[in-house]
Amino acid sequence: MQKLVFFVGVAGTGKTTVARKLAERMQAAFLDRDTVGGRFVEKMLEMNGLDVNDRDSDFYKKHLRDLEYDTTKDICIENLAAGQNVFMISPFTAELKNKAWIEEVLAAAGKTKQDVDVKVVVVTLKDMETQKERIIDRQTERDTWKLEHWDDFKHRVQFVPEINWDIPESSVLIFDNSGELTEEKAENVYRFVVGE
């Protein structure tokens, strides 16, 4: 059965790292929303005289956020329709709240839940300081705004998002990514995804 796996959580929890570790064990289209839309978003922010790293501005939310997510969704749909497993990496906060969203993705790919096993891995950390350390350590330009506005940013994040999709509770894994991502931890995520 095809797998559609969402790696969700706030910045710095290690969503991409966990997904990459799993990609070593199973083939999948690897769709990180930052990679899919990042260059375009930065260019559009720059063209409008805005901070290219600010994904929290009203302009980004109004004009670019859905564009980025919808483009990632379209690439996901194409890969599902072609019979590929798909890993989707991003917070997906609004999408997880929208009960119809996952149904629309599967329908657009010509698939049903009988064809595609939908799983959500919620990547979390025990505390905000670990999150901040990881954001600093990865040294990406897009994190500049978060770090410069840390007190404001940390009050807006939610460690476990609201998930309103019609999927079994057993299809959601809350994964604490604190500490080292050991082979044992990675094995647990793998077993969850493959259904063992």
Side-chain angles (χ1 to χ4, degrees):
M1 180 181 260
Q2 265 180 278
K3 305 289 182 185
L4 172 55
V5 187
F6 292 82
F7 296 85
V8 305
V10 297
T13 54
K15 300 180 293 294
T16 303
T17 302
V18 173
R20 279 192 188 131
K21 193 71 173 171
L22 190 60
E24 294 173 7
R25 307 265 316 254
M26 64 185 296
Q27 292 202 341
F30 194 93
L31 305 181
D32 187 323
R33 189 253 324 158
D34 283 332
T35 305
V36 170
R39 289 178 189 266
F40 301 100
V41 166
E42 288 171 13
K43 192 65 176 172
M44 286 185 258
L45 288 170
E46 181 185 6
M47 289 169 62
N48 284 278
L50 300 167
D51 183 343
V52 297
N53 299 306
D54 185 0
R55 302 298 195 273
D56 204 56
S57 69
D58 289 338
F59 182 88
Y60 172 79
K61 290 175 182 174
K62 183 176 180 181
H63 299 288
L64 303 176
R65 191 258 184 217
D66 288 347
L67 184 64
E68 215 176 3
Y69 275 85
D70 289 346
T71 301
T72 308
K73 177 183 76 173
D74 290 345
I75 299 170
C76 170
I77 290 166
E78 286 190 345
N79 277 276
L80 287 176
Q84 301 296 316
N85 295 324
V86 179
F87 290 175
M88 296 279 273
I89 302 104
S90 199
F92 289 102
T93 312
E95 291 73 17
L96 289 167
K97 288 178 184 174
N98 179 353
K99 187 171 184 172
W101 190 85
I102 194 65
E103 311 296 337
E104 291 165 4
V105 168
L106 294 173
K111 304 284 182 172
T112 68
K113 288 182 192 154
Q114 285 67 48
D115 307 312
V116 179
D117 185 21
V118 177
K119 298 279 177 83
V120 179
V121 178
V122 181
V123 184
T124 66
L125 295 174
K126 287 181 180 169
D127 62 79
M128 296 296 290
E129 283 313 303
T130 302
Q131 181 189 8
K132 185 176 183 180
E133 287 169 20
R134 289 193 179 171
I135 289 173
I136 292 168
D137 288 346
R138 69 187 186 186
Q139 298 182 346
T140 61
E141 285 294 319
R142 72 177 183 271
D143 290 327
T144 304
W145 186 92
K146 295 180 189 82
L147 294 170
E148 289 176 352
H149 300 85
W150 185 254
D151 288 339
D152 188 37
F153 173 74
K154 74 179 183 180
H155 291 298
R156 291 188 223 178
V157 298
Q158 185 179 13
F159 276 84
V160 178
E162 180 183 342
I163 302 171
N164 290 328
W165 294 349
D166 185 20
I167 58 175
E169 208 172 293
S170 59
S171 293
V172 178
L173 173 68
I174 309 299
F175 179 71
D176 180 1
N177 194 32
S178 303
E180 182 187 351
L181 181 56
T182 63
E183 291 302 323
E184 182 182 359
K185 288 181 181 178
E187 176 69 15
N188 290 338
V189 177
Y190 175 76
R191 288 182 176 277
F192 163 74
V193 169
V194 298
E196 292 181 3

